[in-house]
Amino acid sequence: LQDRLPAALARRVRMAVGGLVLVFLGAVTVLGVQFVIFVWSQETPVLNIPLGIPSLAIPIGTLLFALHLGFMFRDYVGKRYAPGHVLEDLSAEEV
């Protein structure tokens, strides 16, 4: 869809998509932290560790996704990245 839009509008759409993804990741991070706090006093049945420890994967994972998006945002908006099929073609040529 973005490829069919004029360049300026496609850039705005990519900025909006990136912003919405960041808002979503922020919400999941906050809710994940609240969930970890909520279940921290419970223990896992087998390992007898706080249930909050494995649940930390939720906020840590979303923070890492947000960090990755932060690093890639400028290239994504400017469409300066290689699509997957181009990378596959490059790796096939190297072999």
Side-chain angles (χ1 to χ4, degrees):
L1 177 66
Q2 295 174 17
D3 292 337
R4 296 188 181 269
L5 296 174
L9 184 57
R11 182 176 164 85
R12 288 188 190 128
V13 168
R14 286 191 295 273
M15 288 180 73
V17 166
L20 287 172
V21 169
L22 279 175
V23 167
F24 173 76
L25 291 173
V28 173
T29 301
V30 169
L31 293 172
V33 168
Q34 290 175 350
F35 181 73
V36 167
I37 292 168
F38 179 72
V39 299
W40 194 267
S41 61
Q42 301 174 24
E43 287 188 349
T44 58
V46 176
L47 297 176
N48 293 327
I49 61 172
L51 191 56
I53 292 175
S55 300
L56 281 171
I58 298 167
I60 291 172
T62 54
L63 282 174
L64 290 174
F65 274 122
L67 185 64
H68 174 72
L69 181 59
F71 285 133
M72 301 301 292
F73 190 73
R74 181 177 289 164
D75 290 337
Y76 172 69
V77 170
K79 203 172 180 186
R80 293 183 301 264
Y81 56 88
H85 61 84
V86 172
L87 295 176
E88 290 172 2
D89 293 342
L90 289 175
S91 64
E93 292 173 6
E94 293 174 0
V95 174

